[in-house]
């Protein structure tokens, strides 16, 4: 395995459990890739960016179970929203069957007008009746589809954009409509558990110790601060790797789990040149995420997290409360509070200074948290991930390679590969499981163990189940062909 992010860890743990001896190389000093944490000079441990999971992320849940970290994720059934006027709204499932289970909360959502709600309900019903696959969405943006659905400006800004920019790390005009629609289908409409938010109760780096142990206990090796300089291919077959220190390493098979923009530099030119299996990678763009960390001298927030409307800041996480749930009491001072703010698709913040971002975010907190106006900001830090995720722009799937690129015993993993999902932790784990399955296809198990790692989606429930069945009986060949490999192709 080249790379110790979620894709590499997922494939490594799966193959170690299947009896393979795995050797994992990670150039950084910690596992987790873009979903990890590190220690500041004063001893505080911070996540590079707050990552959450949803109830619909079945493969990520399976990975946490394999890593022994499932008990370190706390799920919340209540979602908290606050707008610029200080109005709080809560979304929580009712006893109604999907897709109506969130309707009562939606009905009393104070930041939306009745015109907004009618427009949103019309679009959500169209998604549900289509079983998550509306017709004629190939190649269009989410914003264009919302225009077709006659959405009001308020509905777009205070509902669709709030959810989707955070989920997909991209603006609506740059997002493939299929991905935006699938977020609402899988998370909010198909199953009553899909919308539940799971937040780690420990720094992200602490989630992966079980991955290291699983590989080592199976006779494998995890090497940190050990980068790979070159992947060698001879006669169209994997022939080993050259490490950054000049030493060489060989194996029966290799899974490359590095960022899409780094992979071509490791591969022979023939693989990446025009017409080669990786030639499309240069067409995949990236989008940024900015994380802002505040330590106050007193408590300013009661909720475990807040989603902000009408602000640049999208999420605020009460890290003191989340960590206290684990009993660790990390980071906050005796009576202080540690908050982390997240801004996805933060293009406008990339050129701005650290102090400008801190000042803007502090002002936005004071807008929605009155206690923050009197609190002293003890310290703050800003973390910019300029190339945090690949951009899910319309048509991007045609550039995403599969796990098997036609080079014998060399496979790919990463959220940017053809998983059927956008750039999420769930997509990264899916890619790792698919790569592990590709290895098993070349080296089948002889112990009778499972040959599949990919987990099914949550089952459809209520009216959504009936509509999905009806939709499945009426396939749309042109639409399916435009999508390439979907998450159901496994």
């Amino acid at each position: 395995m080249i790379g110790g992010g979620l894709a590499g860890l997922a494939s490594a743990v799966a193959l170690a459990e299947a009896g393979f001896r795995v050797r994992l190389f990670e150039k950084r000093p910690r596992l987790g890739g873009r979903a990890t944490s590190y220690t500041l000079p004063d001893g505080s441990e911070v996540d590079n960016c707050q990552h959450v999971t949803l109830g619909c992320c079945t493969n990520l849940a399976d990975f946490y179970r394999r890593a022994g970290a499932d008990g370190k994720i706390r799920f919340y059934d209540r979602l908290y929203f606050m707008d610029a006027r200080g109005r709080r709204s809560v979304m929580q499932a009712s006893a109604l069957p999907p897709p109506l289970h969130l309707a009562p909360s939606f009905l009393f959502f104070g930041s939306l007008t009745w015109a907004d709600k009618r427009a949103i309900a019309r679009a959500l019903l169209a998604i549900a009746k289509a079983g998550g696959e509306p017709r004629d969405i190939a190649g269009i943006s989410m914003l264009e589809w919302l225009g077709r659905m006659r959405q009001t400006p308020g509905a777009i800004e205070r509902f669709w954009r709030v959810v989707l920019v955070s989920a997909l790390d991209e603006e609506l005009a740059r997002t493939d409509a299929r991905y935006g629609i699938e977020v609402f289908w899988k998370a909010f409409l198909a199953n009553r558990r899909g919308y539940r938010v799971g937040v780690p109760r420990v720094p992200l780096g602490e989630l992966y110790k079980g991955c290291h142990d699983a590989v080592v206990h199976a006779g494998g090796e995890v090497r940190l601060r050990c980068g790979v300089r070159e992947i060698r291919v001879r006669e169209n077959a994997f022939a080993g790797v050259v490490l950054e220190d000049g030493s060489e390493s060989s194996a029966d098979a290799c899974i490359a789990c590095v960022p899409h923009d780094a992979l071509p530099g490791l591969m022979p030119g023939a693989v990446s040149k025009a017409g080669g299996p990786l030639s499309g990678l240069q067409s995949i763009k990236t989008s940024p995420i900015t994380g802002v960390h505040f330590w106050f001298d007193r408590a300013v927030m009661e909720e475990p997290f807040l989603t902000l409307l009408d602000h640049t800041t999208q999420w605020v996480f009460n890290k003191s409360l989340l960590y206290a749930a684990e009993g660790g009491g990390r980071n906050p001072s005796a009576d202080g509070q540690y908050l982390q703010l997240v801004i996805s698709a933060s293009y406008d913040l990339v050129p701005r200074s650290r102090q400008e971002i801190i000042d803007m975010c502090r002002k936005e907190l004071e807008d929605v948290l009155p206690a923050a106006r009197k609190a002293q900001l003890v310290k703050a830090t800003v973390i910019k991930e300029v190339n945090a995720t690949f951009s899910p722009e319309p048509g991007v799937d045609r550039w995403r390679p599969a796990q098997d690129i036609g080079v014998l015993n060399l496979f790919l993993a990463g959220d940017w590969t053809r998983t059927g999902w956008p750039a999420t932790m769930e997509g990264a784990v899916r890619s790792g499981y698919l790569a592990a399955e590709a290895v098993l296809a070349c080296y089948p198990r002889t112990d009778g163990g499972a040959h599949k790692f990919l987990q099914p989606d949550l089952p459809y429930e209520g009216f959504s189940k009936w509509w999905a069945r009806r939709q499945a009986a009426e396939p749309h060949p042109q639409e399916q062909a435009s999508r390439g490999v979907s998450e159901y192709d496994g």
Side-chain angles (χ1 to χ4, degrees):
M1 308 301 167
I2 305 174
L6 284 180
L9 293 175
S11 54
V13 171
L15 289 174
E17 290 184 2
F20 286 80
R21 188 162 59 89
V22 173
R23 189 182 304 121
L24 187 150
F25 300 125
E26 167 54 51
K27 69 177 182 179
R28 298 182 181 184
R30 305 186 75 165
L31 298 174
R34 290 167 290 159
T36 193
S37 55
Y38 62 91
T39 305
L40 296 178
D42 66 359
S44 300
E45 190 162 8
V46 298
D47 297 336
N48 62 339
C49 181
Q50 179 67 61
H51 287 69
V52 302
T53 183
L54 294 174
C56 60
C57 297
T58 55
N59 286 275
L60 183 58
D62 180 75
F63 167 72
Y64 284 144
R65 178 190 60 79
R66 292 177 188 269
D70 49 340
K72 298 178 181 179
I73 309 295
R74 181 173 179 178
F75 278 87
Y76 293 86
D77 297 319
R78 293 167 62 89
L79 309 184
Y80 305 89
F81 299 82
M82 183 174 291
D83 63 22
R85 295 173 59 184
R87 291 177 297 193
R88 276 179 166 83
S89 298
V90 176
M91 293 198 74
Q92 185 175 20
S94 69
L96 294 174
L100 305 176
H101 54 297
L102 294 171
S105 293
F106 178 69
L107 185 66
F108 293 101
F109 200 96
S111 300
L112 297 171
T113 67
W114 285 109
D116 297 336
K117 293 174 183 178
R118 284 194 299 269
I120 294 167
R122 182 170 58 247
L124 291 177
L125 187 60
I127 295 173
K129 285 187 172 181
E133 297 185 10
R135 295 175 183 266
D136 303 324
I137 62 171
I140 70 170
S141 73
M142 189 64 191
L143 188 61
E144 183 177 349
W145 185 80
L146 293 175
R148 291 182 184 180
M149 293 290 105
R150 307 190 309 280
Q151 298 300 288
T152 63
I156 292 173
E157 287 301 314
R158 291 187 162 191
F159 183 75
W160 299 101
R161 187 179 184 277
V162 167
V163 173
L164 292 178
V165 173
S166 296
L168 301 175
D169 189 30
E170 190 53 281
E171 293 294 342
L172 300 180
R174 298 181 180 134
T175 296
D176 193 308
R178 178 174 72 85
Y179 287 131
I181 288 168
E182 284 190 345
V183 166
F184 279 93
W185 170 244
K186 293 181 177 180
F188 296 98
L189 299 172
N191 183 291
R192 69 172 52 255
R193 293 176 290 150
Y195 80 100
R196 300 174 69 233
V197 173
V199 189
R201 300 192 296 186
V202 297
L204 290 173
E206 295 188 21
L207 297 176
Y208 312 120
K209 184 178 184 301
C211 299
H212 175 280
D213 295 344
V215 170
V216 172
H217 290 166
E221 180 183 8
V222 176
R223 296 182 62 180
L224 302 178
R225 294 187 174 91
C226 184
V228 171
R229 180 195 304 171
E230 178 186 352
I231 298 174
R232 288 184 171 170
V233 176
R234 295 193 185 95
E235 297 180 355
N236 203 43
F238 171 69
V241 299
V242 179
L243 304 181
E244 288 182 343
D245 64 5
S247 61
E248 299 183 13
S249 182
S250 61
D252 295 307
C254 173
I255 302 179
C257 318
V258 299
H260 75 274
D261 53 354
L263 183 61
L266 303 179
M267 300 289 291
V271 180
S272 302
K273 71 178 183 180
L278 300 182
S279 59
L281 294 185
Q282 61 184 347
S283 299
I284 299 178
K285 301 172 184 177
T286 60
S287 47
I289 296 177
T290 299
V292 181
H293 302 257
F294 283 162
W295 286 264
F296 288 100
D297 67 343
R298 68 194 72 180
V300 300
M301 174 178 169
E302 297 179 356
E303 299 87 351
F305 53 83
L306 277 173
T307 301
L308 303 191
L309 312 180
D310 312 317
H311 291 85
T312 299
T313 303
Q314 295 147 358
W315 286 78
V316 182
F317 292 90
N318 186 344
K319 304 291 280 189
S320 295
L321 178 62
L322 294 167
Y323 287 164
E326 184 67 11
R330 302 173 181 82
N331 288 299
S333 59
D335 299 313
Q337 192 169 58
Y338 167 35
L339 306 181
Q340 181 174 358
L341 290 65
V342 179
I343 304 102
S344 297
S346 55
Y347 294 99
D348 293 342
L349 300 187
V350 171
R352 297 179 69 173
S353 71
R354 171 183 177 275
Q355 192 59 50
E356 284 180 305
I357 295 172
I358 290 173
D359 291 344
M360 179 201 70
C361 290
R362 171 121 193 227
K363 182 179 184 305
E364 293 194 339
L365 275 187
E366 292 176 354
D367 284 345
V368 298
L369 300 175
R373 300 166 192 166
K374 298 181 180 180
Q376 179 183 350
L377 184 61
V378 178
K379 65 177 179 177
T381 191
V382 177
I383 300 175
K384 298 179 185 178
E385 292 280 352
V386 178
N387 301 304
T389 67
F390 78 85
S391 174
E393 63 181 353
V396 70
D397 281 358
R398 68 184 182 275
W399 309 121
R400 300 171 69 182
Q403 273 58 51
D404 187 342
I405 59 173
V407 177
L408 186 64
N409 294 329
L410 176 61
F411 308 96
L412 305 181
D415 59 3
W416 49 270
T417 61
R418 197 178 302 170
T419 65
W421 275 63
T424 59
M425 293 193 293
E426 170 74 4
V429 171
R430 282 174 175 255
S431 76
Y433 283 176
L434 288 170
E437 289 178 5
V439 172
L440 278 178
C442 296
Y443 300 95
R445 300 180 68 169
T446 59
D447 60 359
H451 286 73
K452 293 288 185 180
F453 301 111
L454 199 67
Q455 302 298 305
D457 289 328
L458 290 177
Y460 302 151
E461 297 176 338
F463 297 116
S464 294
K465 180 178 181 180
W466 183 80
W467 279 322
R469 284 179 174 176
R470 187 181 66 175
Q471 183 73 1
E474 301 177 2
H476 313 311
Q478 292 183 346
E479 189 74 19
Q480 293 297 329
S482 71
R483 291 176 55 174
V485 178
S486 78
E487 66 272 22
Y488 304 108
D489 295 323

